[in-house]
Amino acid sequence: MSATDALGALRSNARSFEEGLPPAQRKRLGQFFSGLSLGTLLAQLALDDNCRTVIDPMAGHGDLLDAAATVFTAKGLILDRVDGIEIDSETAVFCRRRTAAWQTLGSVGESSVLFGNAFDPSTMAELGADKYDLVITNPPYVRYQSQSGSGLGGNDTRRELSKIVDGCTAGDERKLWRALVDGYSGLADLSVPAWILSALLTRPGGRLALVVPATWRTRDYADVVRYLLLRFFSVEFIVEDTQPGWFSGALVRTHLIVARRLLWPEAALALEERKSWSSAKWLQISPTAANAKSLVGEAFPGGTPEVDFAAWAIASPSGVDAVGIESRPFSLYNEWQTLKQRLKRKSWFEKAEDRRDSISLFSPGSATTAPLPDGLRAMLPPFITPPSLSALDEASIRVSQGLRTGCNRFFYVTLVGPATGDALEVEASESFEKLRIRVPATALRPVLHRQTDMLAFIAGAVPLTQALDLSDWILPEDELLATAAAATYRKRGLPAPRIMPEELAAFVRRAAYYAPDPKNPGRLIPDLSAVRTNIRLPSGGRDVPRFWYMMPPFTARHLPAIFTPRINHGTPVIGLNMEPGILIDANFSTIWSEEKTWTRHALYALFSSSWCRAGMEVTGTPLGGGALKLEATHIRQLAIPRLSDSARAKLDVLGRQLLDYESGAQHELDKFILAAAFPSIGSKGLEAAAQHLDSCLQLARGARQRIIQ
């Protein structure tokens, strides 16, 4: 078989090879590969004639390396080195056969595909180079928790990555890289250190090319890679798919990123001191751009669609579209301004920027102008200029997530009967065979649990789901500990806890010996990570005892003024809490303010405006089925007009009118918010701007859901 035929056979077998890998292994190692079509699109954008060395440090079965070699061969050039690292031995062998076929064809000089852990310094030492002209990869998006015994645990990876940093950097550059490695969140998945490693492997002047999910710009723990891209690179292209997307089974949309690494004198300058900023191009590719052979074959119907696409993307001005492809500028300066607001309390950021005055620079009392998200900027009519906006935090508006009990099966029950004396009849979950018990009314708190209950709640119905609030109740066998702390209860002005009725106590005892996961029968409810933290033993008379069945005290984020589902199938819906407020579950993002001028009706009006709903549309993450994921971290990115106390009072009135379904209230609200944002435009301009924004919001929703307008 010729080398060409061998390569063709390997390509034909690549998908079946991938699907033949054990499902548990694919999930654990993140073995969901890019595909040659997508890899070719990315390589065309990233490769230039000066490129001679390429690596994929998470190579899989070789799609991206194969794509790079394909693109370079089409240019009539030869790559000196093509290297890869793959942690699964069988997959590494398959990848090695693909790169070997290119060597046989004479398109690649040397090649080495290593079987090993890319975060192991000894693996890195085996490579033929320490820096590459192109690093092209699809980082594994898997949790550390799934890596037990593989050497890819959180502490192992951070420690080994630090060694790699020490081995290839020095001086101030090493300090900067170490700040990022030491500072990224322990909650991050494996993709974050993979980004850092890939960036390290890119030579100054070379390019980094990544296949990533769209959540790379929205997850809190990914802020470090956004900073890394701005500090060490000049981002050139961000390419996104649209519904139904390039990976039909993916939960979120996909982005391609191409960035050129800066020389150290450029990267050495703190971002706060950087005077010159470029703009990247943001390209959105819809399914109408594709044909059977290429993701852009319909947009560029010639014989070389990827080549033509890359030439168009590089040469055409931002804003010039092709069939099925929209182009807009992506301001790196605005990206920095947005990111800076998010990072101001992170210690690694202060180290990376080397700012001793960072506390005063970002002090809460200093007024700063929040940047307008790029997507929202694109929704505004061209005749208005960017406004002076305030971040939610600066406006004293807080955003978080609702109640997490740690074990809903125990803490959530359903109201099934009327009150009998001081007790209510409730039904436990299926885990407890829907046992019916009587519970003191004071030990129950209504909670909005599921999104499906939201419409009834908005209509005024109190949810049947109740949270067991046992903070003032103890089991009889725990009475001795409580009695011993009697003086502490009195000192802190707290009533002594009451003894549970026997029916409730029996249920709590039963729950204490229940294992929610049948695969781990030894891990009982009191041992669950988010339940065992409820336990507090008194020490030296300084505190009162708490037991596993006592949830922590409820705070404003559990009893917010307003809330919105974390998964929205249409335009984000805002719910108004009752007064007094009931508990809102973690299925919702919660919003409130400690300032009295922000009444719950004023907040309801603000977030019901087209301005805020459009902001949530562009900052949220579109999911594979067309829904919008809207976490607290997305909502915190909203920028709102600076609103006086009198303006907030007006919002309170408008919020009440919205709730009463008064005719024209929504339109008046939208104009009011736009007038606050753009005080210089007249009434006609406000009418036009409000209609334009609402129209763009509906189009954005339709594009996400693939609704024909």
Side-chain angles (χ1 to χ4, degrees):
M1 181 184 296
S2 70
T4 301
D5 291 339
L7 181 61
L10 286 167
R11 288 173 171 173
S12 297
N13 294 332
R15 186 58 57 197
S16 58
F17 172 84
E18 176 185 347
E19 293 173 352
L21 293 170
Q25 173 185 302
R26 292 185 70 197
K27 182 177 180 181
R28 180 172 59 85
L29 298 180
Q31 291 180 308
F32 300 94
F33 305 134
S34 306
L36 191 58
S37 296
L38 189 62
T40 303
L41 200 69
L42 178 60
Q44 281 287 0
L45 284 176
L47 277 168
D48 62 35
D49 292 351
N50 297 318
C51 180
R52 289 294 179 271
T53 57
V54 179
I55 187 173
D56 183 346
M58 290 83 190
H61 58 31
D63 279 340
L64 295 178
L65 293 178
D66 192 346
T70 299
V71 169
F72 218 62
T73 299
K75 293 175 177 283
L77 301 170
I78 296 175
L79 287 167
D80 294 340
R81 288 204 65 84
V82 172
D83 292 339
I85 303 173
E86 170 53 40
I87 197 168
D88 176 60
S89 59
E90 185 181 3
T91 308
V93 169
F94 193 99
C95 181
R96 194 175 297 139
R97 290 165 61 194
R98 290 177 85 169
T99 58
W102 280 109
Q103 282 183 279
T104 303
L105 287 169
S107 300
V108 171
E110 298 181 68
S111 177
S112 175
V113 177
L114 303 179
F115 157 52
N117 180 355
F119 299 104
D120 186 341
S122 63
T123 301
M124 302 303 298
E126 294 183 49
L127 294 172
D130 60 354
K131 292 286 191 295
Y132 291 80
D133 297 328
L134 174 64
V135 179
I136 184 169
T137 194
N138 182 348
Y141 285 78
V142 293
R143 304 294 295 166
Y144 284 127
Q145 291 87 332
S146 66
Q147 306 305 316
S148 177
S150 69
L152 292 176
N155 293 332
D156 295 334
T157 298
R158 194 189 305 270
R159 182 174 56 250
E160 298 305 284
L161 187 54
S162 293
K163 293 178 183 178
I164 294 172
V165 167
D166 291 344
C168 64
T169 60
D172 290 341
E173 184 179 4
R174 177 183 294 171
K175 291 180 183 178
L176 178 53
W177 283 105
R178 282 298 298 266
L180 303 183
V181 172
D182 295 342
Y184 71 77
S185 171
L187 299 175
D189 60 35
L190 201 58
S191 68
V192 172
W195 277 63
I196 297 175
L197 175 65
S198 299
L200 271 170
L201 291 172
T202 309
R203 71 162 178 81
R207 282 184 172 83
L208 177 65
L210 301 166
V211 182
V212 298
T215 50
W216 73 275
R217 294 188 65 236
T218 55
R219 295 173 303 175
D220 284 335
Y221 60 75
D223 283 344
V224 69
V225 298
R226 293 176 67 187
Y227 179 84
L228 179 151
L229 274 182
L230 291 173
R231 185 68 184 267
F232 283 102
F233 291 83
S234 175
V235 180
E236 297 174 322
F237 297 102
I238 299 173
V239 186
E240 68 171 332
D241 62 357
T242 61
Q243 179 72 12
W246 295 322
F247 297 99
S248 58
L251 295 178
V252 297
R253 302 273 55 84
T254 304
H255 284 183
L256 308 180
I257 300 173
V258 176
R260 177 182 59 82
R261 184 165 173 183
L262 303 174
L263 303 179
W264 172 242
E266 299 174 278
L269 192 66
L271 293 180
E272 186 64 25
E273 299 172 4
R274 190 170 291 178
K275 304 299 182 186
S276 177
W277 293 85
S278 60
S279 286
K281 289 183 181 178
W282 190 295
L283 307 173
Q284 186 181 70
I285 302 180
S286 73
T288 58
N291 62 18
K293 295 183 178 180
S294 169
L295 298 175
V296 291
E298 193 66 29
F300 300 95
T304 55
E306 288 82 11
V307 174
D308 297 339
F309 163 75
W312 168 83
I314 293 169
S316 67
S318 294
V320 176
D321 299 338
V323 175
I325 305 176
E326 295 181 8
S327 169
R328 61 179 171 87
F330 177 68
S331 169
L332 300 182
Y333 175 74
N334 286 342
E335 173 76 350
W336 158 237
Q337 294 300 311
T338 302
L339 185 62
K340 182 169 64 173
Q341 295 292 328
R342 292 165 60 93
L343 297 181
K344 57 187 177 183
R345 294 187 181 91
K346 304 229 176 138
S347 59
W348 67 260
F349 173 61
E350 295 180 12
K351 291 179 182 178
E353 286 291 287
D354 195 23
R355 294 297 299 252
R356 290 187 177 88
D357 62 338
S358 58
I359 295 178
S360 60
L361 178 66
F362 299 115
S363 63
S366 60
T368 57
T369 297
L372 187 66
D374 284 283
L376 183 53
R377 185 187 304 273
M379 290 188 182
L380 296 176
F383 60 81
I384 55 179
T385 57
S388 176
L389 300 172
S390 169
L392 293 183
D393 187 60
E394 184 188 347
S396 299
I397 297 174
R398 308 291 178 246
V399 187
S400 190
Q401 193 178 58
L403 175 67
R404 286 188 178 278
T405 68
C407 185
N408 288 354
R409 300 185 195 189
F410 167 71
F411 286 106
Y412 283 175
V413 294
T414 303
L415 192 63
V416 292
T420 305
D422 295 330
L424 295 169
E425 185 178 9
V426 299
E427 184 177 87
S429 68
E430 291 184 355
S431 297
F432 299 99
E433 300 171 331
K434 295 190 174 183
L435 174 71
R436 291 195 173 193
I437 57 173
R438 284 164 42 83
V439 175
T442 55
L444 295 170
R445 298 284 294 269
V447 56
L448 182 61
H449 180 203
R450 297 182 179 87
Q451 185 174 338
T452 51
D453 300 329
M454 188 171 173
L455 287 179
F457 178 77
I458 290 174
V462 177
L464 295 178
T465 303
Q466 305 281 309
L468 284 176
D469 180 9
L470 303 178
S471 53
D472 293 330
W473 298 85
I474 55 174
L475 289 169
E477 52 266 38
D478 293 328
E479 184 178 11
L480 286 177
L481 270 176
T483 302
T488 306
Y489 282 107
R490 289 194 297 271
K491 182 179 178 181
R492 298 191 60 184
L494 297 173
R498 290 171 285 179
I499 305 298
M500 294 181 198
E502 182 52 37
E503 193 173 354
L504 174 59
F507 173 63
V508 173
R509 293 189 192 104
R510 176 178 174 179
Y513 291 95
Y514 178 77
D517 184 359
K519 296 180 181 178
N520 191 355
R523 195 180 190 199
L524 308 178
I525 288 180
D527 302 322
L528 298 177
S529 58
V531 175
R532 63 174 181 243
T533 54
N534 295 340
I535 301 172
R536 183 178 64 208
L537 298 178
S539 176
R542 292 190 299 270
D543 222 330
V544 298
R546 292 186 63 84
F547 305 95
W548 71 266
Y549 47 81
M550 295 179 173
M551 284 185 286
F554 302 128
T555 64
R557 75 181 181 93
H558 307 124
L559 300 156
I562 61 173
F563 54 91
T564 185
R566 291 169 60 205
I567 304 296
N568 289 268
H569 296 281
T571 301
V573 177
I574 303 301
L576 179 73
N577 205 347
M578 294 179 169
E579 199 169 32
I582 70 164
L583 294 168
I584 304 298
D585 183 78
N587 284 323
F588 301 87
S589 294
T590 56
I591 304 167
W592 72 98
S593 176
E594 288 87 8
E595 284 197 8
K596 292 183 179 179
T597 54
W598 277 121
T599 67
R600 64 193 188 104
H601 288 97
L603 288 171
Y604 175 75
L606 174 64
F607 283 85
S608 297
S609 69
S610 291
W611 175 272
C612 282
R613 288 187 295 124
M616 289 185 280
E617 182 71 46
V618 301
T619 56
T621 299
L623 300 180
L628 184 74
K629 190 173 187 181
L630 195 59
E631 302 280 14
T633 186
H634 300 132
I635 300 173
R636 291 190 196 108
Q637 296 179 53
L638 294 182
I640 61 172
R642 300 185 187 281
L643 298 164
S644 64
D645 289 352
S646 60
R648 296 175 189 181
K650 174 64 174 176
L651 282 176
D652 180 89
V653 173
L654 288 169
R656 295 173 189 273
Q657 291 175 353
L658 279 180
L659 287 170
D660 290 338
Y661 300 100
E662 289 193 18
S663 176
Q666 182 69 55
H667 188 58
E668 286 303 309
L669 169 64
D670 291 340
K671 288 198 301 180
F672 181 77
I673 293 296
L674 287 170
F678 308 99
S680 61
I681 61 176
S683 58
K684 289 185 178 179
L686 284 176
E687 288 283 351
Q691 292 176 6
H692 184 86
L693 181 61
D694 185 66
S695 176
C696 287
L697 175 58
Q698 299 309 316
L699 287 172
R701 173 194 168 184
R704 164 165 55 86
Q705 299 182 307
R706 302 310 299 166
I707 296 173
I708 304 299
Q709 299 293 328

